Amino acid sequence: MRAKVELTAELNRPFQYATMTDVQAAVLSRLPQLAGSPVRSDTSNEIQAAQDILVRAKTGTGKTLGFLIPALEGRLRSLEDFLEKYKRENPEASSNEAKKALAAYAKSTVGALILSPTRELATQIANEAIALTTHLPQFGVRLLVGGASRSNQLREWVRSPSNDIVVATPGRCVDLVESDPLIRKPLSNARMLILDEADTLLDMGFSDDIATVTKHLPDNNNRQTFLFSATVSKQIREIARKSLKKDHVYIDTVPANEVDTHMHIPQYHTILPSAEAQLTHILRLIAHDQLLHAREAAKNGGVGGGKTVVFLPTTRMTQLFSQILMSMKNHLPWGRDTLVVEIHSKKTQDQRTRASDMFRRATAGYSVLVTSDVSARGVDYPGVTRVIQVGVPGSRDLYIHRVGRTGRAGKSGRGDLVLLPWESGFISWQLNDIPLKPCTIGETQRELAALAADWDANPAEFAPPSRTTARNGHSRDRSSPRAMTLPAALSPRLETLDESLKTNVLPTLDTLDVREVFASLLGYYIQKAHELRTTKEVVVTGLKRWSVEAVGLEEEPYVSREFLAKMGMNDGRTKHRGKPRQDYGGFGDRGGSPWEKRGRQSSGDAPRRSPFGGDRGSYGGDRGSYGGDRGSYGGGERRAYGDRQRDSGDRSSRSRY
């Protein structure tokens, strides 16, 4: 117990925690067993004595420290064991020789390998590990994730005197362990394997990657394994059976009678009458949340105005909606004091880290995170007041994880699901046990109009003193507030929102960009027709109409018969009321698929730059390091992998579209 008391004292320095959470208390009460046997005979006996655990804990309950502290204590104990054994076997060795031997051992082994499903969560874990080990300057924390420079990660691995805690996403870990012996050999001597968000790792299809990684680690009897999961399904139990020792301990920190977080968050769904209403309704939902929290923010000098996370089904749609929202900010209640942050897989890892930190730290004004599913799980964003999901999420569980970004730590929140008419089957077939309430467009308009009338009647009560807001969401000058400058009364701005969108914004969108969004949605939705209890033909027709009605294409996109045949749609020919259907739409002229035509110039001009950011196909950023041996991860620009990144993780893969 001596080590536990000392570590708890050290925790008070970087984290300032007065008490432990339930999961921390449950796990750390077993710290002597988890850190290994106090018998210092040899490493194998120590490993065999250390307990394996399967822990059920909700996201956002402090479980990261629950596994980092045993990992740290176990590593320190194994280093002490090695040093004592070396001195016992080499009694004539000098102090310098012993230090060199210990350094060689630390370099040739890994204390703990932590696998995390997303880059954001992996980065968050690595930064907590750095903070935890501030009193151990010689302690090495390595981060191995996709989207960041592979060569930089290898360089840091080689330069580091030790790799005590290694945090990785599965794809990058497989890539490195199978290609580089400098990483493979130390991992073959890893003391501990930790699977964080194990259910998410499996949901995202990383089971094969996990198996590949564990093949290069010591076997079950010669390593310690922790599984942390929000749910314990049959699949998780099967992984536990294969990965954990038979005498492993199951720790459940979720009370049997506790209602799941998503069950007490007010949740609403809107089935749009047509695609034409989609963007306007989403903007109104954001404005509605801004107004609900404006009065509270006014009392606090602009702090606590609320945060919204908008989830979109594909990276391309995320890029497009972020562009539209930036153009429409002045029509929202908070106007230019609305911070818009964009995260998706086409951002470099450094860009994603900076955007995530900016949204997390933002306190002044109102913030909107526009994101794909890279932000759906594990990452903690404090103060999120609303989650808006546009379109059908990847699964029922993903819907729940997204909603869980709000209403955290006992605070209030709200979830909205916005669907097109042909997507409505997802609610009745996938979410029938979730307390979703209908929310019509008219109802939202009426509530918004009433709130706007209150604002216009007494602007000072709603419009707080505002400060020049820095990019990180913090005020640059807290001592001299300036009055919020609004272009006009709020009600007229909201009344002209739809007209301005269609007149001033949609015509400026690049046609090829919109068609790329259509292609990405087609690839996403056409395989989900069975989940919607509809046909692939209905999905294609619905997306064609969306491209015209929602985002302003002049004519419906064309999709070749060959593509439809690959999607199992009868070579593009289907019967409809006794007549053959026409081909589905067009990407301009009818010769070749959209991805074959993507690079062509429409008028012979020089290659254009995309408003989505950077030249098409570019890597997007200069190389850099993560900001020092002991600093937080996420400084400098690194090269990304562009189109070859998956939203949910880090492995390179060909586009499905």
Side-chain angles (χ1 to χ4, degrees), residues 281 284-285 288 439-449:
H281 182 64
R284 285 176 178 148
L285 289 175
H288 181 261
C439 174
T440 65
I441 288 178
E443 179 183 352
T444 302
Q445 282 183 281
R446 287 190 292 273
E447 290 187 18
L448 194 57

Side-chain angles (χ1 to χ4, degrees), residues 374-390:
V374 297
S375 301
R377 304 170 186 257
V379 181
D380 183 26
Y381 293 121
V384 173
T385 50
R386 184 167 302 205
V387 168
I388 301 173
Q389 303 188 49
V390 182

Side-chain angles (χ1 to χ4, degrees), residues 369-444:
L369 172 61
V370 185
T371 182
S372 57
D373 282 329
V374 297
S375 301
R377 304 170 186 257
V379 181
D380 183 26
Y381 293 121
V384 173
T385 50
R386 184 167 302 205
V387 168
I388 301 173
Q389 303 188 49
V390 182
V392 172
S395 66
R396 178 185 183 278
D397 287 346
L398 191 55
Y399 168 86
I400 293 171
H401 278 285
R402 287 169 164 186
V403 169
R405 298 308 96 200
T406 186
R408 296 168 76 84
K411 295 183 179 180
S412 61
R414 167 171 165 164
D416 282 276
L417 177 62
V418 182
L419 300 178
L420 298 170
W422 50 271
E423 297 177 289
S424 60
F426 186 80
I427 294 176
S428 56
W429 287 96
Q430 301 290 329
L431 305 179
N432 55 359
D433 61 335
I434 292 176
L436 279 161
K437 299 177 182 178
C439 174
T440 65
I441 288 178
E443 179 183 352
T444 302

Side-chain angles (χ1 to χ4, degrees), residues 495-553:
E495 289 170 2
T496 59
L497 189 150
D498 185 61
E499 179 185 354
S500 179
L501 177 68
K502 294 176 180 177
T503 303
N504 301 324
V505 177
L506 295 186
T508 67
L509 299 180
D510 188 277
T511 300
L512 289 180
D513 289 331
V514 173
R515 287 172 175 166
E516 281 191 341
V517 175
F518 168 80
S520 73
L521 292 174
L522 186 63
Y524 176 80
Y525 274 106
I526 207 165
Q527 303 298 340
K528 300 182 76 64
H530 67 286
E531 296 179 31
L532 307 177
R533 294 305 190 268
T534 189
T535 65
K536 294 178 180 178
E537 289 81 7
V538 168
V539 170
V540 175
T541 300
L543 289 174
K544 286 172 54 184
R545 291 175 179 169
W546 174 87
S547 67
V548 173
E549 296 174 2
V551 289
L553 278 188

Side-chain angles (χ1 to χ4, degrees), residues 17 19 21 32 34 47 75 77 90 106 111 132 144 205 227 246 279 302 316 335 359 374 453 495 503 549 603 636 649:
Y17 292 155
T19 59
T21 65
L34 298 180
I47 291 294
R75 176 61 165 174
R77 182 164 291 177
N90 302 274
L132 180 63
L144 307 176
L227 264 65
K246 292 182 179 180
L279 293 173
R316 291 295 189 191
F359 184 71
V374 297
E495 289 170 2
T503 303
E549 296 174 2
S603 60

Side-chain angles (χ1 to χ4, degrees), residues 29 57 81 160 168 171 267 279 281 316 343 350 357 398 421 525 598 622:
S29 65
D81 287 347
S160 173
Q267 295 166 70
L279 293 173
H281 182 64
R316 291 295 189 191
I343 297 180
D350 292 319
D357 289 343
L398 191 55
Y525 274 106
R598 187 63 194 86
D622 300 323

